[in-house]
């Protein structure tokens, strides 16, 4: 009886197998996040917490090299794979043209991402050393140099793996690839907690990054997915996808959008670290981690549907496309809203109870109510903007380019200018106002382009 109730609830909110694993990893991450707060508060100082979260913002600079290619690879693969069938031995069958074009994507990723991973590793190591030596020099007792190298190494290898994750999702292995995040969410925190408890401090961040790489490789090999990649590499190329003619005209637009996203989402910590110190940067980082977990969890509803949307578009089945998308958007936004209220309630309980781990009051590791609210409002609006952009991008088009660039430049200017003048409140007020002002423009793009392309 209980199983039937849970099954009905899952169907009501649109949770299928792919979403279950994808969002399941977020649920586990949320649960382990509670314990992580305990470990961070107990075994890291407020200053070390600032370094910990600023690491992530510097690492995000790899987007300037990857340039959105990983994100669109799923769509290109889904368009080709929709004309093929995959047997139990990991071999594709169907028209040779589509099979050859799919194989050409694999070979391109092997060469391009191999070189890119090496360049990114060297770049991140140098930039991190320069930044933290300049703005973190007063904290000589914080050991961050070797941990930073380990983190950069793990991130570079993860970058090499990323297109193959997208490729496997594009051929229909969405649920299976979502399981990787599920297992990572279980295994990585245990390694991370153990390292903190043993006094490894910031070293655990690098170890955790490398552990995620190993988990991915073991899973892909164990599940037999490496055979699919190997078999495609062996396919004779008679017809290939031209990067410059087919991918680049679309990718450069996505790239600019993604780069704009860096200036929207990743500048907060580095600016606050430099202007208000490591402690405030740590509060922003802790709050953003919780907010991003909510956002990523709810976005699982849209992200797992990308191959399906691409298939509907390839076959011009716009009725099913719109019905599926509209239903998914309602479910996603509802889940997001519930989680936002739950998060605010938890923070309220922490403030009232003044719960303390070690020498730290947990509530003090998060932003105060006002700046937190100013970060939550844009996140909820972004659920819609991101969904509209994903819907349109599945058409192999990027109509949000100008919107993304303008929003990125506005946020960049606001964060640097008001962050220097007014600190935390300058950053958060500016970000919230810009997000609200740009929201109607995003909706207009979605409505007009959908009408234009589906005539």
């Amino acid at each position: 009886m209980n199983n039937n109730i849970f099954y009905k609830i899952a169907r009501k909110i649109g949770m299928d197998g792919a979403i279950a694993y994808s969002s399941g990893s977020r649920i586990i991450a949320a649960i382990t996040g509670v314990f992580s707060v305990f470990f961070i508060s107990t075994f890291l100082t407020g200053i070390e917490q600032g370094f910990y979260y600023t690491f992530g913002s510097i690492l995000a600079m790899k987007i300037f090299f990857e340039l959105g290619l990983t994100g669109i690879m799923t769509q290109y693969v889904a368009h080709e794979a929709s004309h093929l069938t995959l047997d139990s031995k990991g071999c594709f069958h169907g028209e040779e043209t589509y099979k050859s074009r799919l194989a050409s994507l694999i070979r391109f990723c092997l060469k391009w991402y191999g070189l890119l991973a090496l360049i990114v590793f060297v770049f991140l190591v140098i930039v991190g050393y320069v930044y933290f030596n300049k703005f973190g020099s007063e904290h000589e007792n914080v050991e961050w140099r070797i941990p930073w190298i380990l983190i950069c190494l793990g991130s570079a290898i993860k970058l090499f793996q990323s297109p193959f994750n997208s490729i496997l999702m594009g051929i229909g292995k969405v649920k299976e690839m979502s399981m990787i995040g599920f297992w990572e969410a279980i295994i990585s925190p245990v390694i991370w907690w153990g390292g903190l408890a043993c006094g490894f401090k910031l070293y655990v961040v690098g170890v955790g990054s490398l552990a995620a790489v190993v988990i991915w490789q073991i899973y892909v090999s164990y599940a037999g997915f490496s055979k699919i990649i190997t078999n495609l590499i062996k396919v004779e190329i008679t017809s290939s996808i031209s990067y410059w003619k087919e991918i680049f005209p679309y990718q450069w637009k996505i790239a600019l959008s993604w780069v704009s996203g860096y200036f929207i989402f990743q500048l907060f910590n580095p600016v606050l670290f430099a202007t208000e110190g490591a402690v405030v940067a740590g509060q922003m980082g802790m709050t953003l981690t919780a907010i991003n977990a909510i956002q990523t969890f709810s976005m699982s509803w849209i992200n797992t549907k990308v191959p399906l949307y691409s298939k509907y578009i390839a076959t011009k089945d716009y009725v099913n496309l719109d019905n599926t998308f509209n239903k998914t958007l309602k479910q996603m936004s509802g889940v997001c809203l519930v989680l936002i209220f739950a998060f605010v309630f938890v923070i309220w309980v922490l403030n009232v109870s003044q719960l303390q781990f070690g020498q730290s009051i947990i509530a003090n590791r998060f932003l105060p109510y006002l700046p937190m609210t100013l970060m939550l409002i844009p996140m909820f609006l972004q659920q819609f903007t991101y969904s509209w952009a994903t819907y349109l991008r599945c058409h192999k088009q990027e109509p949000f380019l100008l919107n993304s660039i303008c929003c990125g430049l506005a946020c960049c200017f606001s964060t640097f200018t008001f962050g220097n003048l007014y600190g935390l409140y300058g950053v958060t007020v500016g970000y919230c106002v810009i997000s609200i002002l740009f929201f109607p423009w995003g909706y207009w793009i979605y409505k007009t382009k959908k009408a234009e392309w589906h005539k």
Side-chain angles (χ1 to χ4, degrees), residues 280 283-284 287 347 363 365-369 371-372 375 424 428:
V280 175
Q283 291 176 330
M284 174 62 82
T287 304
I347 297 300
R365 293 298 182 100
F366 291 88
L367 290 176
Y369 286 120
M372 181 185 296
M375 298 299 292
L424 174 63
T428 53

Side-chain angles (χ1 to χ4, degrees), residues 109 118 155 177 182 186 225 281 304 309 325-326 381 405 422:
C109 287
L118 179 61
S155 296
M177 299 314 294
F182 181 79
I186 295 174
F225 296 149
T304 54
Y309 295 157
F325 175 77
N326 291 333
L381 296 179
I405 292 175
Y422 306 109

Side-chain angles (χ1 to χ4, degrees), residues 130-191:
V130 171
Y131 178 84
F132 289 112
N133 271 323
K134 181 176 181 180
F135 297 110
S137 57
E138 62 186 277
H139 308 298
E140 295 179 357
N141 60 326
V142 177
E143 178 51 56
W144 58 267
R145 292 170 180 81
I146 296 177
W148 178 246
I149 293 176
L150 294 175
I151 296 167
C152 293
L153 179 61
S155 296
I157 299 174
K158 195 70 174 177
L159 177 63
F160 177 74
Q161 293 175 336
S162 61
F164 302 103
N165 200 75
S166 298
I167 287 167
L168 290 168
M169 290 183 70
I171 63 176
K173 303 297 182 182
V174 179
K175 182 179 76 172
E176 293 82 355
M177 299 314 294
S178 297
M179 286 178 66
I180 294 179
F182 181 79
W183 287 111
E184 283 182 3
I186 295 174
I187 298 171
S188 294
V190 175
I191 297 173

